[in-house]
Amino acid sequence: MQNKKFIQVFEYQKLRYDDSGDFRKHHFDAMVKFNELHQNKYFTIIHQGIRFGSYVGVIQIGGLTIEILPKADNNENADKNLWQNVLLNMLKVCKKIQVESISETQLKKRYHSILDVYFELYLSEIERLVKKGLIKKYRKNQSNQNALKGKLLFAQNIQQNLVHKEHFYCEHQVYDKNHLLHHILYKGLLVLKTFVNDSLKDKLNRLLFEFQNIENVNIQKKLFDKIIIDRKNNDYQKAIDIAKIIILNYSPSLNYGNENLLTLLFDMNALWEEYIFRILQKHKTDEIEVSFQNSDKFWENKRIRPDIVLKTKDDIFVIDTKWKIIEANNPSDDDLKQMFVYNLHWKAEKTLLLYPKTNQNDSEFGTFHYDNLGKKCKLGFVDITNQRTIKKSQNVANEIFAKII
């Protein structure tokens, strides 16, 4: 694993291949194929390279890891460590890292990439399950037996034992560890064999040994829907959640030339929207109700959906989040028209367009000139970093509440 390469870029940055560098044409070809299979939504193909868009996260192609980081500042030499931690923090708050055990200390740790966070947490969860004892379950098994056991399957018995009449092809129950939960965890471990770094390799091999008698089956999305979490297997929830992320985002080399590909990509606009909602929900007072992605009929079969709606005893406020850098007091016409509709439809006196802050100041509330209704909208800017650290979510939430209420 010593030959693994690592490239960090920011959203909307360009990356061109060079056969003498880390990013080569076969990596580029694999990314093009992957992007085409997903309606070209993740990035734009340019001459001999890629221009990233609003999706952040990580793409691992064989021995190359490309991490795409968010950035909300104008500094060309922005601190990549800081923005990696910002992304990790947002993923934690939005429960995209589906474990509660990740601590502030872990967030400050220097990870090779955000995939390493998932890998480390996954292996730690499985190690915990192994130490506690992997559970057994009843399952149906069909096989040839030397004695009649369970139910005889007549058609299969004739087909299998036309010559060997001393055998019986039966269906019977077996009580062991070779069941769906362990099939999924084992498949996740097998995927990691291609991608983990040296520091996790020994732990991975130890866990693979514990699963040596587990069947290697093809795991698809529909199998996750069959899992029923109950009192007996509740401890498996966290590991299964991470396994689902790893397995469903893995593309074997069959589709991408000679390279296995693992992706973990998030739309930064959606992530920003959910992050703001979750911190407002967490730090609101009892007098404020915060709701997310309200949806109502708008025209024919079309619906209208503001990001966040705040309600107090007397007033309604709408917040629409935008992950983009704009100049203060200069919103787009489309954004303002959108907010005007929210004002009317939700009977809100005030609405807020909320952007990440670089060096802008909030605008004053501007009034929409329509029937003297007094509907107002302002531009607000919030910084989620504090110099070289992540700003506390309590402080971010308080700043946002102060802008509108």
Side-chain angles (χ1 to χ4, degrees):
M1 295 289 176
Q2 295 294 337
N3 60 344
K4 283 190 174 296
K5 306 296 183 182
F6 182 51
I7 298 172
Q8 278 182 315
V9 297
F10 286 112
E11 53 183 331
Y12 298 104
Q13 195 170 325
K14 296 177 183 178
L15 180 64
R16 299 186 189 273
Y17 67 80
D18 180 350
D19 284 335
S20 63
D22 292 340
F23 184 50
R24 303 191 176 186
K25 189 176 187 301
H26 63 278
H27 299 128
F28 168 79
D29 291 339
M31 290 180 67
V32 169
K33 182 70 177 293
F34 165 76
N35 202 41
E36 288 174 349
L37 291 175
H38 292 85
Q39 294 76 50
N40 296 305
K41 70 177 183 179
Y42 290 119
F43 36 78
T44 303
I45 309 304
I46 59 175
H47 179 61
Q48 295 188 341
I50 301 292
R51 183 175 71 243
F52 298 97
S54 63
Y55 281 84
V56 298
V58 63
I59 301 171
Q60 192 154 333
I61 316 165
L64 174 67
T65 302
I66 303 172
E67 188 173 70
I68 308 110
L69 300 174
K71 185 169 80 79
D73 61 40
N74 294 321
N75 182 7
E76 293 185 2
N77 299 312
D79 185 345
K80 290 179 178 177
N81 292 354
L82 171 62
W83 286 104
Q84 185 190 61
N85 282 334
V86 167
L87 178 56
L88 280 171
N89 183 58
M90 294 180 79
L91 292 174
K92 177 192 173 184
V93 169
C94 296
K95 303 187 185 301
K96 307 299 183 184
I97 296 179
Q98 294 285 357
V99 287
E100 298 173 359
S101 57
I102 184 167
S103 64
E104 295 302 321
T105 301
Q106 284 175 295
L107 284 172
K108 293 176 182 177
K109 178 181 176 181
R110 178 69 180 101
Y111 284 100
H112 181 65
S113 80
I114 63 169
L115 268 182
D116 289 339
V117 181
Y118 285 83
F119 294 165
E120 185 175 314
L121 292 171
Y122 184 57
L123 295 178
S124 296
E125 279 298 307
I126 297 182
E127 185 177 50
R128 182 181 64 82
L129 293 173
V130 167
K131 289 179 179 178
K132 187 174 181 179
L134 297 176
I135 62 174
K136 294 182 178 181
K137 296 183 71 173
Y138 283 105
R139 63 181 177 89
K140 290 181 179 180
N141 181 56
Q142 296 180 1
S143 62
N144 257 329
Q145 301 290 322
N146 293 325
L148 184 60
K149 185 178 182 181
K151 181 175 67 174
L152 180 66
L153 301 176
F154 289 99
Q156 292 91 328
N157 188 59
I158 293 172
Q159 183 181 8
Q160 296 285 334
N161 300 321
L162 190 60
V163 176
H164 298 282
K165 298 186 182 298
E166 73 279 10
H167 292 164
F168 302 89
Y169 197 88
C170 308
E171 180 179 271
H172 58 98
Q173 283 196 325
V174 178
Y175 186 64
D176 63 10
K177 299 176 183 177
N178 191 27
H179 50 78
L180 179 58
L181 289 174
H182 295 152
H183 294 163
I184 289 173
L185 297 186
Y186 182 42
K187 177 62 74 173
L189 291 174
L190 291 175
V191 170
L192 261 60
K193 284 182 67 176
T194 305
F195 299 108
V196 295
N197 57 42
D198 287 340
S199 65
L200 297 175
K201 190 175 180 181
D202 287 343
K203 181 185 284 190
L204 172 61
N205 288 334
R206 289 197 304 272
L207 293 174
L208 282 169
F209 179 79
E210 298 289 340
F211 283 77
Q212 60 182 324
N213 295 321
I214 304 301
E215 187 179 356
N216 180 13
V217 302
N218 183 28
I219 303 297
Q220 298 179 342
K221 185 178 184 298
K222 61 184 179 182
L223 290 180
F224 288 95
D225 298 331
K226 294 183 178 181
I227 295 175
I228 299 175
I229 299 296
D230 54 27
R231 180 178 56 82
K232 185 177 179 180
N233 62 23
N234 185 59
D235 271 354
Y236 279 67
Q237 182 71 70
K238 295 177 182 179
I240 292 295
D241 286 342
I242 306 174
K244 184 176 182 179
I245 292 170
I246 292 171
I247 294 169
L248 297 186
N249 287 285
Y250 170 64
S251 303
S253 59
L254 178 65
N255 295 328
Y256 303 102
N258 296 321
E259 300 288 358
N260 293 315
L261 191 141
L262 182 61
T263 61
L264 200 61
L265 297 170
F266 306 92
D267 185 342
M268 195 59 208
N269 293 295
L271 195 61
W272 173 241
E273 174 185 330
E274 185 175 350
Y275 173 74
I276 295 300
F277 161 71
R278 289 189 180 276
I279 64 172
L280 293 181
Q281 178 70 17
K282 180 179 180 180
H283 299 295
K284 71 180 181 65
T285 63
D286 293 338
E287 291 76 29
I288 302 173
E289 177 186 329
V290 182
S291 56
F292 183 49
Q293 293 187 339
N294 297 263
S295 180
D296 200 1
K297 293 179 179 179
F298 181 55
W299 179 84
E300 295 295 334
N301 63 343
K302 295 183 180 295
R303 303 186 72 84
I304 185 172
R305 186 192 64 80
D307 293 346
I308 301 167
V309 176
L310 307 182
K311 293 182 180 179
T312 64
K313 182 180 178 180
D314 301 314
D315 296 298
I316 298 174
F317 310 93
V318 175
I319 298 176
D320 206 65
T321 60
K322 305 289 183 184
W323 182 261
K324 58 184 179 182
I325 305 300
I326 69 163
E327 297 297 325
N329 304 317
N330 191 27
S332 71
D333 289 349
D334 287 342
D335 286 350
L336 281 175
K337 291 173 183 176
Q338 181 182 27
M339 300 311 288
F340 175 62
V341 173
Y342 292 158
N343 277 98
L344 293 180
H345 194 87
W346 260 266
K347 298 180 174 60
E349 180 184 349
K350 296 177 180 178
T351 54
L352 173 69
L353 278 163
L354 187 66
Y355 303 90
K357 183 173 184 176
T358 54
N359 52 10
Q360 313 95 324
N361 293 316
D362 290 3
S363 71
E364 299 294 329
F365 274 106
T367 303
F368 290 110
H369 301 294
Y370 179 79
D371 269 6
N372 296 318
L373 293 178
K375 303 294 185 181
K376 298 179 180 179
C377 178
K378 72 180 288 188
L379 280 67
F381 303 90
V382 62
D383 194 346
I384 55 177
T385 64
N386 185 9
Q387 294 180 337
R388 302 184 70 84
T389 61
I390 301 172
K391 186 181 290 185
K392 291 182 178 179
S393 62
Q394 174 80 70
N395 295 339
V396 176
N398 290 344
E399 288 179 24
I400 296 172
F401 285 128
K403 293 177 189 298
I404 196 169
I405 296 178

